[in-house]
Every structure is written in C-alpha cells, then in structure tokens.
Amino acid sequence: MICELISVCALLLGAVSSQFSPDPSSPSTFISDEGPCRIYNFGLSADCQGRQLDFVPWRQLPVTLESIDLSYNGLHVVSAADFQNFPQLRILLLQFNNITHIANEAFKNNPLLEHLNIFNNSLHEIPASPLTSLLNLKELFMSNNLYRHATLADSFSKLVRLKVLSLGGPLVMGLKKNDFQPLKNIQLQTFAIKCSSNLSYYEPGSLEVIHTKQMGFDMAIDQRPNALHHMLRDLANKTLSVIQFRNLFEFTYYMGDEDIFLNLKDIIASQLIFHRGKFNENLLKMALLNLQVTPIKWLRLQYIDFARSPTFVDSGAGSSITELSLDNLDLWYISNPDVLRFDWRFTWFKRIKQLSIQYVYFSSVPCDSWAEMEGVELLDVSNNRLSDDVLYNKRCNYKGSMPNLLTFNLSTNELTSLEDLSSLIKQFRKLQVLDLSNNKLGSAKESRHCVWTQNITRFIAHHNYFSSEAFHCLPTTVSYLDLSDCNMDQLDLTYFKKATNLKILLLSGNKIKFIPSKWESPSLQILALDGNSFGLISKASFQHMPQLSQLRAGNNPYHCTCELHAFVQDTIAIGKVNLTDWPLNYRCYHPEPFLNTFISKYFPGKVACDIRLVIIISVATTAIVILIFVLICYIFDLPWYTKATYQIIQAKYRAHKENLAGDVGNFNYHAFISYSHSDADWVRDQLLPCLENNKNPYRLCIHERDFMPGKWIIDNIIENIESSRKVIFVLSRHFVNSEWCNYELYFAQQRAMGKTFSDVILVVKEPIDPSSLPSKYCKLKKMLSTKTYLEWPQQVNQQPFFWAQLRSVLGKPTMTREGTNSIRSRNTSERFSVVEERIPEVNKPLEGNKKEIQSEIIHRTEIELQDQRNLEAQ
C-alpha cells in the first residue's frame, strides 16, 4: 500500500528518478573519486550530486558513462556540447537545479536515453525541440517548472515508448482540451499533472485523450470546485489502478451543497487517494456516498486537515453511510480524530475488510465502535500512542465483537499490560495474527493472568521489555513467535514445552546469557538467536529440537572452545540445520588471542578436543613415570634411604622438643648398651668404634668393660642404666633368649615409667617377628609395634645411614669432666657430667624401688651366672 503511495507522490515531486541511480558508495563498483564527480560502477556511472556545479564537467567524465546524476547543483544552461560525448547515456538526472534553457541539440548524441529528470527547475517553456531525438525515452519528469501552460508539441507523439510523464507547474493556471492531443496514441503507465494552487479554468475533455493506469492531480479547486465534475467525467469508462488528488482543497473547506463527487460513480479504478487538503464531514460524506456505488475498493485519506462543519446537524436518524464496502480503508495522519465518526457514528466501518488507522492519536475507543466493525478482518491501529485504558474499557461488553477479525496490529503504541490485552482479545474468536511490537509490554506485574483465544498462530512482540516471568502470559497456540529486541536475559523453558505448535521463534537482539541444554521444542523449525550475550553453544543445546532446520545465531560473544568447534563442524557436515548467517557473523570473543577471529578459521588441536585421546595419553604418561620411579627405587634402594632419612628427622624433632622443655641432666654415659653375649663381637667391632672413635666421641657403657667389680650384677645394671642418658638395646634372637637382657629391658621400662620411651633406642640386628616373642616380652612386643626402631642393614652401602640415624637419636655429645683418663677409674672414682642441651632432665625413679627389684630377681642371679660361665667356657 505504502509503495504505491510513494510511487504516485514521487511522480508529482519528480523524485522517482533516484531509483535509477546506482549506489555510488558501493565499494565493489567504485573506481575513482577524483575530480568533480565520483565515477563508479566500472566507469558506467557518475555521481555529481550536490557538488555546487554551475556547468557540466563533461571533459572530466569518461565517454563510457550510461548514468549521470547532476541533481542538486546550480546549473543554468544545458548546452549542445554538455552530453555529446556520451552516446551510451541512458539515465540523466538534472532535477533541483536552476536550468532556464536547454539547447535544441543538447541530447542529439544520446539516442539511447531512457530516463530524463528535469523536475524543479526554471524552464519557461516545455523543451519540445531538445526531446525530439529521444525516441527511446520511457520516463520523463518535467513538472514544477515555470511553464505558463501545459500544451505539448506535436513532436511528443513520436515518443511512443513513453511510460511515465509528469508535467506542469505552479504557473499553469488551467488545462485546455488540446493540451495533450499528442499523447492520444501513447499508452502510459503513469501520468501526473500539476497546476496552480488557484485553478482558473478547466476545459471539459482535457484529459479524455490520456491513456494511463495511474493518474495524479496536484491542483487546488478552491475557486473552481465544479472543475472536479469535468475531470471525473473525462476519466469515466477508463480503467485505472490509482487516482490521486493532492491538495484538492488547499485553503478552504468546501461549504457548498452541490455534490462535486457525483461523477465518481462512473469511475473504474482500484484505489482512490486524497493526499493533503481540507475536508469536513459534508465533503467526506459526498465522497463516501458516491463510493458506495463505484467499483473502487481502496480508499486512502492521508495528511488530511479534518474539521466539522458548523452547519452539520445530527438528525439522529442514523448514519447515511451504510453500504460502503471496501477492501481497504486507510486513515493516516488525520489532524482530527473526529474523522473516525464524522457523522457521529462508526457505521461506515461496518463493511470494511482491512481498516488501517495510523497517526490519528485518538484518545478513546467507545464501546459501540467494536460492534460496528463486524466485517473487519484486519485492524491496524499502530502508531497512535494508545495506552491500556484507552484501548480496553472494563465497563464495555466485548462479547461477540469483531467476529471476523483475523489480524490485529497494535504496534508502536504505549501498551503495558498483557493481562488487559488478553481480556479484550479473548472475545475475538477468529483472531490469528497479533502484532504488539514496539510497546512497553512484558513486565511481571502486568503479566499475571492471561486468557487468549485459541486461534492465535502468529504473535509478534519484538521491541518490548519482556521478563522471563511474562512467558506464562503468552498464548501457547502460536506457530510463529517474535520476541526480538525485548531485553530478555533468560528463557522460561516450561513455555516451550507447552507451545507444541511453535515452528518459528525469533529471539534476536536480546541479552540471553546462555542456551540451556534441556530446551525442548518438538515442532520448532526456524530459530533466530543472533545478537544476544551467550558465548557457548554445543550439540546438546538443540538436541531436543528434532525439527530444527534453520538457525541464525551470529553476532554473539563466542568463547572459541572445542565444544563450539565440534558444534559448527557437525552442523555443517550433517547439513540438517542450516546456519543462515554463517560464516560472516560468527567471530571469537574469547580467549583474547582469538578476538575477532572468524570461527570458520578457528581450528583447535585434536589432542585438546578429543577427551579420549587426552585420557589415553595421560594414563600412558602416568604409567611410564610410575614405572621409571619404581625402577629407580629398585636400583638405588630409595625406600630404605627415605625411611632412614625420615627416622633421622624424627629423632632431631624429638630432641628439639626436649630442648625446648629446658631439662638438663648430668650423666656418666651417653648410652647404656644392652646386648646378648652372642652379639658381643658386633658391639665391640662395629658399634663401639663407630661411636667412640671419632672427633666427638660418645661415652658408652657395656657390662664387660664398665661394670664395677665386686658389686652385685643387679646393682651394676641399675646404677649404670640410671647413669646413662640413653639405653640402646641390640635386639636379636639371642637377646630374646637372655634372662639378663630381659632384666635390663625391664629396668629401662621402670626408669621410663610415667614418661615416653624416647630414652630407649631399639637396634634390630637381625629380623625378629614380634608375634613369636614369649608372653613375658609383652612390653617389647608393644615397643616393636609402636616405637620406631633402627634396623641394621646387611648391605655395606646402607650402613653409613644407619650410623647417621643412631647418632641423630643419641644427640650431639657435650660434656664436662674432671679426673683421670682411665676408663675404669672414671667409673669408680669420678663423675662426668654429660649435658645434652636438647634433652630434658631425667629423674631417677628406681631409687625407691631398688630393694624391691633386688628381692624380686635375686633368686635368678645364680642361674644366670652359671649360664654365663657355661657360655664363656664354650
């Protein structure tokens, strides 16, 4: 509809020519921007528009030109030489200059010229002679010049290919019968005539010879309203597609009683347009009464200044416009909304099929208006600033109204409540298409309880403000849903499960941050998600849309990942889903090194994307590392060294704790050695040399060297254990079988009673199974199970670690001493103070129990002495 309006209006204004001018800014056709004109389209077109030229720069233009645009300049004259070098010229635009003269031979060398526009210049005469050679001319725009008449020369009869012609100007005072005689044998598509705003005369028959499909009048009949009779009579029995009257009454409202539209009944046309001008209800009534009996099915009133006549009286007898039957009625840009009920009724809408009311800005919709529009199938009330309370009146009864309405366009208004709309529209039983775009709908507060008619199949609501809560207020019967540019950041998936008929979904230009993997829409075929805020899509994103065939998802901040790459590759390879905007609209946004990289050029490595391959490589690498580690441990005996190092560190830590406790003790020996007679060689040959024969020697006590002669053995054992900082037990199978070793172990346990066993050092010379020990060695069993012990290694290379561990346990020896150097005399006559700064002071718990211990074990003494003699004899 609007396209036809633009076409006819352009004829009157001479602006249609712009459609023949190729786009000069097209980068693919641009050649040169040097000189006064831009040359493009591979040297076939020149754009000289608006360059303030006062002459045609023909010397600087290529001779290959087919199109020249010299509009909006300051040209005064078109000379014979201006276009003689362009034999291929087909389009010449000269509108909006100040041309007063065109040379007779100006277009002599342009026989191929088809389109000439000299609209809005200063020509005083119709340039008949210059046009004589243009036998291929199809479109000629020469209106709005300073002609004083519209008479065409006989040479126009030779323009047999002419299809579009506009002529006239503000100084043409009227039309004569012979003005257009040269056109009588030419079949035009469009003819437009412009006359003065004060038409002085119109001779009947002036337009009889015109054969055209579209007729446009730009003339005011304020002073000669009867001229309309003759114009309509001249058009009688002609088959026209469009008749347009521009500024029919430019300055005054028609107040006469004569029906100036009487001859309209004889017009055979499809569309009648009144563009601009002044109308009152009397003039409108005359036009509508005559339209009732014409074949015209399309009426448009646009940019009309409507006012009521002061003499109009409502008789109360009802509307006189009861038989108006139109396919289309357009009411656009009417200054007064009273035009909708110009005779105080809405009856004239009753038999209209498609009613469009735009830019009328009516402030109320009376209840009876809905009932009157019983024949309307399409109602367009867009662009009217309608609010909810204007459109929907809760006091009205809408039941049974708009029984034939199929399409309702409410776009570009100020509606906010889906709930109110649904209350109105649910009564429109046949409604299928609802357009609510460019409103303020979608808030959760105004979208609570909605009940829609069950026939809605297309719901258009782009450019609103939808929240996710508003989804439950949308009709679920739709097959087409447009929620583009609605400021949504998330979706309500439950709605799509209910909308089982949904086939086309448009969500472009929102702020959707992620695509849920459980999005179910069983019938969806076309989905638009471009221009949102999500960065990830994968094969799982659309797996519950089995019918999806077209997807538009470009212009999103994509995170270029393996999932995205896999989705794109699979989608393209399978071909079931067509990415309609691929690949130009798909770019990487993250990670930063790939910013603005086309996703089509993003190829991640196979290792990075194949998780199975990653697992295989990881497991294989781990197994190899473990194997190498085990091999190294086996070759270098690493576990033993680790264990030994750990024991040294643990011993140093205990010594550090004891040092912090602040206890200081005075002892004769650093350690008392308890061992079986069978292990004496190892003690004399290995243990003593390694601990006593070094730079910082330890003082050790062994029974065969340091016991006081003449004393009881038990006394020697007790006194020397008490005089020693540590007690070292050399454990072996012989140790377990020795009764005296058992006593020494018992005494050491008694000494440590109430404390930890940190002063007891266990050296396992040969392996002992704790479970095989006799029950009397329960303490030893416990110590072997709970206390860390030193194990004598058989490998020579490991023995230095053993001695390092033992020294670490004994601590660094620091002593003060007085007396001789004799070992024996030191035991008998002098005391040595052995101070270990990190060892707390040791009490002597056995002093009070000595006699008790002696009495307990004295009977075993003789037996042990006898055993000892026997062993020594052996």
Side-chain angles (χ1 to χ4, degrees):
M1 296 187 294
I2 296 178
C3 294
E4 294 184 10
L5 165 65
I6 293 174
S7 176
V8 176
C9 291
L11 286 171
L12 299 174
L13 298 174
V16 172
S17 58
S18 61
Q19 64 181 315
F20 296 96
S21 178
D23 182 8
S25 63
S26 175
S28 62
T29 62
F30 174 77
I31 291 181
S32 174
D33 197 17
E34 298 178 358
C37 302
R38 174 178 294 178
I39 309 302
Y40 62 102
N41 195 24
F42 306 104
L44 301 178
S45 302
D47 176 23
C48 311
Q49 184 185 103
R51 303 298 179 100
Q52 299 180 350
L53 301 175
D54 55 7
F55 66 95
V56 178
W58 57 272
R59 291 183 177 87
Q60 298 168 273
L61 301 177
V63 296
T64 58
L65 288 176
E66 295 181 1
S67 172
I68 302 177
D69 185 355
L70 284 161
S71 60
Y72 297 93
N73 280 292
L75 303 179
H76 295 280
V77 176
V78 178
S79 67
D82 286 343
F83 302 106
Q84 65 179 357
N85 293 332
F86 310 111
Q88 304 300 319
L89 191 62
R90 297 177 182 275
I91 301 173
L92 179 59
L93 309 180
L94 296 169
Q95 70 269 26
F96 292 97
N97 278 282
N98 193 25
I99 299 171
T100 59
H101 175 72
I102 299 177
N104 291 338
E105 296 183 351
F107 308 123
K108 182 179 180 180
N109 292 338
N110 312 117
L112 300 179
L113 192 64
E114 298 177 348
H115 179 94
L116 176 61
N117 192 333
I118 52 176
F119 170 82
N120 206 87
N121 278 283
S122 301
L123 295 171
H124 292 275
E125 298 291 338
I126 296 175
S129 296
L131 300 177
T132 303
S133 61
L134 302 180
L135 301 180
N136 288 305
L137 197 62
K138 295 180 179 179
E139 299 181 356
L140 175 59
F141 301 89
M142 56 179 185
S143 62
N144 224 39
N145 277 279
L146 301 180
Y147 319 132
R148 292 187 177 275
H149 60 82
T151 305
L152 297 178
D154 292 339
S155 60
F156 274 86
S157 63
K158 297 179 181 179
L159 305 180
V160 294
R161 297 187 178 183
L162 195 63
K163 296 299 180 184
V164 178
L165 175 62
S166 72
L167 71 159
L171 300 183
V172 177
M173 302 306 295
L175 299 178
K176 296 181 180 180
K177 186 173 181 179
N178 295 324
D179 284 346
F180 308 121
Q181 281 298 320
L183 301 178
K184 65 180 180 180
N185 295 321
I186 298 177
Q187 295 292 329
L188 298 173
Q189 291 293 328
T190 303
F191 178 81
I193 180 67
K194 178 178 175 60
C195 294
S196 170
S197 297
N198 186 10
L199 186 69
S200 299
Y201 59 90
Y202 180 88
E203 292 184 3
S206 298
L207 298 173
E208 281 185 346
V209 297
I210 300 297
H211 303 284
T212 186
K213 295 295 183 182
Q214 299 182 7
M215 175 69 75
F217 298 93
D218 186 359
M219 58 182 71
I221 61 172
D222 297 64
Q223 303 302 319
R224 294 286 186 274
N226 290 333
L228 187 59
H229 281 294
H230 304 298
M231 284 187 275
L232 294 177
R233 185 180 294 115
D234 289 347
L235 298 178
N237 300 318
K238 296 180 183 293
T239 302
L240 303 170
S241 59
V242 180
I243 301 175
Q244 174 174 297
F245 292 97
R246 188 176 190 271
N247 283 322
L248 191 62
F249 287 90
E250 187 173 0
F251 303 108
T252 61
Y253 295 96
Y254 179 64
M255 304 300 295
D257 295 330
E258 184 180 0
D259 187 357
I260 60 177
F261 287 105
L262 183 62
N263 291 329
L264 190 63
K265 64 180 181 297
D266 299 321
I267 299 296
I268 302 174
S270 299
Q271 183 178 10
L272 176 62
I273 300 174
F274 293 103
H275 180 76
R276 298 193 181 278
K278 295 181 178 296
F279 270 71
N280 54 24
E281 66 269 73
N282 286 330
L283 184 64
L284 182 58
K285 181 179 179 181
M286 290 178 187
L288 296 178
L289 283 172
N290 287 283
L291 278 174
Q292 291 183 143
V293 294
T294 67
I296 296 175
K297 293 300 182 182
W298 193 341
L299 173 64
R300 177 178 296 154
L301 300 174
Q302 59 190 18
Y303 296 98
I304 298 299
D305 182 5
F306 179 81
R308 292 193 177 277
S309 300
T311 59
F312 180 82
V313 177
D314 180 16
S315 63
S319 175
S320 57
I321 313 300
T322 58
E323 301 299 326
L324 180 64
S325 177
L326 297 175
D327 292 336
N328 297 84
L329 173 60
D330 301 331
L331 302 174
W332 297 348
Y333 297 96
I334 311 297
S335 63
N336 189 342
D338 281 351
V339 69
L340 301 178
R341 48 175 184 171
F342 71 96
D343 61 349
W344 306 104
R345 308 287 188 279
F346 293 95
T347 308
W348 67 306
F349 295 149
K350 193 168 187 176
R351 301 174 67 179
I352 307 298
K353 290 185 178 180
Q354 297 187 14
L355 176 60
S356 177
I357 305 172
Q358 297 187 43
Y359 299 100
V360 178
Y361 305 124
F362 50 92
S363 58
S364 65
V365 182
C367 296
D368 61 325
S369 63
W370 300 100
E372 294 286 1
M373 295 184 288
E374 61 182 26
V376 175
E377 297 177 1
L378 182 151
L379 178 58
D380 182 357
V381 290
S382 59
N383 300 290
N384 282 295
R385 303 175 187 166
L386 294 177
S387 58
D388 299 317
D389 54 350
V390 171
L391 184 66
Y392 175 63
N393 188 341
K394 296 181 180 179
R395 293 174 293 181
C396 295
N397 182 8
Y398 298 100
K399 186 175 182 180
S401 58
M402 307 296 289
N404 293 299
L405 186 64
L406 300 176
T407 302
F408 194 9
N409 187 350
L410 286 162
S411 63
T412 319
N413 283 290
E414 297 180 0
L415 304 173
T416 60
S417 176
L418 279 174
E419 186 174 343
D420 288 349
L421 279 174
S422 68
S423 299
L424 169 66
I425 292 172
K426 69 181 179 181
Q427 303 297 336
F428 305 160
R429 297 300 182 183
K430 291 186 178 181
L431 185 66
Q432 297 178 1
V433 180
L434 180 60
D435 189 347
L436 300 174
S437 57
N438 289 285
N439 279 281
K440 301 176 181 178
L441 299 165
S443 68
K445 181 180 179 181
E446 300 291 343
S447 308
R448 295 178 178 174
H449 307 289
C450 298
V451 179
W452 302 91
T453 177
Q454 296 300 306
N455 294 317
I456 296 179
T457 57
R458 291 175 65 90
F459 191 90
I460 305 167
H462 58 80
H463 290 90
N464 278 280
Y465 302 94
F466 270 78
S467 62
S468 59
E469 292 82 359
F471 271 89
H472 74 273
C473 206
L474 297 177
T476 57
T477 57
V478 296
S479 61
Y480 179 99
L481 177 61
D482 186 355
L483 295 177
S484 303
D485 298 285
C486 284
N487 205 37
M488 290 185 297
D489 58 0
Q490 59 181 335
L491 302 172
D492 182 2
L493 301 185
T494 58
Y495 169 79
F496 297 102
K497 293 180 181 179
K498 298 177 182 178
T500 55
N501 297 321
L502 185 61
K503 296 181 179 179
I504 301 175
L505 176 61
L506 308 181
L507 296 172
S508 306
N510 283 288
K511 299 179 180 179
I512 300 173
K513 298 177 181 178
F514 69 96
I515 303 301
S517 59
K518 296 183 180 180
W519 189 358
E520 298 181 18
S521 187
S523 301
L524 192 64
Q525 298 176 3
I526 300 175
L527 175 62
L529 290 168
D530 53 309
N532 277 278
S533 301
F534 58 86
L536 296 174
I537 53 175
S538 64
K539 292 183 287 185
S541 300
F542 311 106
Q543 62 181 350
H544 299 297
M545 301 177 185
Q547 303 298 323
L548 188 64
S549 60
Q550 294 185 28
L551 174 64
R552 187 169 74 245
N555 295 314
N556 280 290
Y558 281 111
H559 295 247
C560 284
T561 61
C562 295
E563 280 188 320
L564 178 63
H565 177 72
F567 168 77
V568 170
Q569 295 300 315
D570 288 354
T571 301
I572 295 175
I574 297 174
K576 178 183 177 182
V577 179
N578 179 25
L579 298 177
T580 57
D581 53 347
W582 175 267
L584 296 181
N585 293 338
Y586 292 77
R587 295 173 181 261
C588 296
Y589 181 80
H590 183 82
E592 187 174 352
F594 295 100
L595 182 64
N596 290 326
T597 301
F598 285 107
I599 296 178
S600 59
K601 298 181 180 179
Y602 171 70
F603 299 103
K606 292 185 178 180
V607 174
C609 293
D610 192 341
I611 187 63
R612 293 170 298 181
L613 186 58
V614 171
I615 293 174
I616 292 173
I617 293 175
S618 299
V619 171
T621 303
T622 304
I624 292 173
V625 171
I626 293 175
L627 182 61
I628 293 173
F629 181 76
V630 170
L631 186 61
I632 291 174
C633 291
Y634 175 78
I635 294 174
F636 297 100
D637 207 0
L638 189 59
W640 187 91
Y641 286 103
T642 303
K643 180 180 178 182
T645 303
Y646 170 74
Q647 292 174 345
I648 293 173
I649 294 172
Q650 192 176 38
K652 289 182 177 292
Y653 174 70
R654 287 195 301 269
H656 175 68
K657 287 177 62 178
E658 294 171 354
N659 181 49
L660 292 178
D663 291 338
V664 179
N666 294 322
F667 303 96
N668 289 334
Y669 304 102
H670 288 98
F672 176 86
I673 312 299
S674 175
Y675 59 95
S676 170
H677 182 74
S678 299
D679 299 321
D681 292 340
W682 181 83
V683 171
R684 287 192 298 267
D685 298 338
Q686 297 284 347
L687 182 62
L688 294 181
C690 287
L691 295 181
E692 291 185 337
N693 299 336
N694 51 47
K695 185 176 180 181
N696 293 314
Y698 291 92
R699 290 189 55 77
L700 305 178
C701 178
I702 60 176
H703 68 274
E704 59 188 61
R705 182 187 67 185
D706 297 311
F707 275 15
M708 180 67 69
K711 272 193 174 185
W712 288 90
I713 295 176
I714 295 302
D715 290 342
N716 269 317
I717 292 174
I718 294 174
E719 287 180 4
N720 283 288
I721 286 178
E722 291 176 352
S723 300
S724 301
R725 174 65 186 87
K726 305 279 185 177
V727 180
I728 299 175
F729 291 96
V730 180
L731 302 180
S732 65
R733 287 186 294 273
H734 300 290
F735 181 93
V736 173
N737 296 327
S738 172
E739 191 71 21
W740 287 109
C741 290
N742 185 25
Y743 295 152
E744 291 170 352
L745 179 62
Y746 176 77
F747 296 150
Q749 293 170 354
Q750 291 297 317
R751 172 187 166 182
M753 188 174 296
K755 299 183 179 182
T756 63
F757 288 97
S758 61
D759 293 341
V760 176
I761 301 173
L762 302 180
V763 175
V764 179
K765 180 176 175 290
E766 55 188 32
I768 297 177
D769 183 8
S771 61
S772 64
L773 296 177
S775 58
K776 64 181 179 179
Y777 287 99
C778 60
K779 289 290 184 179
L780 181 57
K781 286 184 180 181
K782 182 177 180 181
M783 291 173 68
L784 287 173
S785 301
T786 60
K787 184 177 176 62
T788 303
Y789 54 84
L790 300 179
E791 189 172 1
W792 171 250
Q794 299 301 319
Q795 294 84 355
V796 177
N797 62 329
Q798 296 178 359
Q799 291 175 2
F801 276 95
F802 171 82
W803 299 119
Q805 287 178 287
L806 184 56
R807 292 190 188 97
S808 177
V809 175
L810 289 173
K812 185 177 180 181
T814 303
M815 63 180 63
T816 61
R817 75 180 199 178
E818 299 174 356
T820 66
N821 294 326
S822 170
I823 295 177
R824 180 69 62 182
S825 63
R826 281 184 301 214
N827 284 330
T828 59
S829 62
E830 299 187 25
R831 304 288 291 178
F832 291 85
S833 177
V834 181
V835 181
E836 174 57 58
E837 295 179 354
R838 293 171 295 176
I839 305 300
E841 183 180 356
V842 180
N843 296 324
K844 299 181 180 180
L846 295 178
E847 289 182 358
N849 299 328
K850 184 186 296 184
K851 293 183 179 180
E852 179 183 349
I853 296 172
Q854 288 178 346
S855 60
E856 182 180 345
I857 61 172
I858 193 66
H859 65 279
R860 301 183 185 178
T861 304
E862 294 180 356
I863 299 174
E864 181 61 27
L865 289 174
Q866 184 63 40
D867 292 339
Q868 185 174 349
R869 293 190 191 98
N870 294 334
L871 289 173
E872 289 176 353
Q874 293 175 359

